[in-house]
Amino acid sequence: MSRDKSKLLYAETHEWVDVSDEGGQKIATIGISDFAIEQLNDLVYMDLPEVGKTFDSGEEFGEVESVKAVSPLYCPVAGEIVEVHADLPDNLDGLNDDPYDFGWVIKIKVSDDSGLASLMDYPTYQKQCAESA
């Protein structure tokens, strides 16, 4: 299954969010947008959290480093990490090649879905990217 990036939600900090219902729980799969990856260019390192940690909406959960800069990764929704894409730090080329499927970063059990309301739809996110490019 391939994710349609036009149907995802986006944070101002360039994380994308795909929310699904799994067994009555809202699970948010979170990744980094292709725009952010393109801006960072040449990724060299990624630090990810452990399963079981909890984060508030807007809290930093990891970082990604390129030859140009180190960028924090922010949690767009509050909840508990239920899965981490453990193979990702060793396969950053895969993140470059496929940020919306292979490149998912974490899955989080949403504890407070009020953060979802502050996320942008794809057209709004595209506008933000155009204004910052």
Side-chain angles (χ1 to χ4, degrees):
M1 185 179 93
S2 180
R3 276 193 187 86
D4 181 349
K5 66 182 182 179
S6 70
K7 296 187 177 177
L8 303 174
L9 297 172
Y10 295 86
E12 287 183 18
T13 49
H14 304 288
E15 291 84 8
W16 56 258
V17 180
D18 184 14
V19 180
S20 61
D21 187 335
E22 296 182 20
Q25 290 284 331
K26 278 189 180 176
I27 303 295
T29 302
I30 298 168
I32 309 166
S33 75
D34 54 356
F35 177 83
I37 293 168
E38 189 174 302
Q39 294 297 307
L40 285 166
N41 194 9
D42 213 1
L43 303 177
V44 294
Y45 175 77
M46 178 174 265
D47 183 39
L48 298 178
E50 295 177 15
V51 171
K53 288 188 115 181
T54 58
F55 293 93
D56 289 327
S57 178
E59 191 174 358
E60 185 178 326
F61 71 85
E63 64 184 26
V64 62
E65 181 177 342
S66 71
V67 294
K68 291 170 47 177
V70 176
S71 295
L73 301 172
Y74 296 102
C75 199
V77 295
E80 177 185 345
I81 304 282
V82 293
E83 190 173 351
V84 173
H85 191 171
D87 294 335
L88 197 55
D90 294 328
N91 295 292
L92 293 173
D93 286 342
L95 179 61
N96 284 321
D97 297 339
D98 188 7
Y100 297 98
D101 288 311
F102 176 81
W104 68 272
V105 178
I106 59 171
K107 293 185 180 184
I108 189 165
K109 182 169 59 176
V110 178
S111 63
D112 178 5
D113 60 2
S114 64
L116 294 172
S118 65
L119 299 176
M120 295 178 270
D121 61 12
Y122 187 67
T124 306
Y125 179 67
Q126 288 296 98
K127 184 178 176 191
Q128 174 190 294
C129 293
E131 291 171 354
S132 65

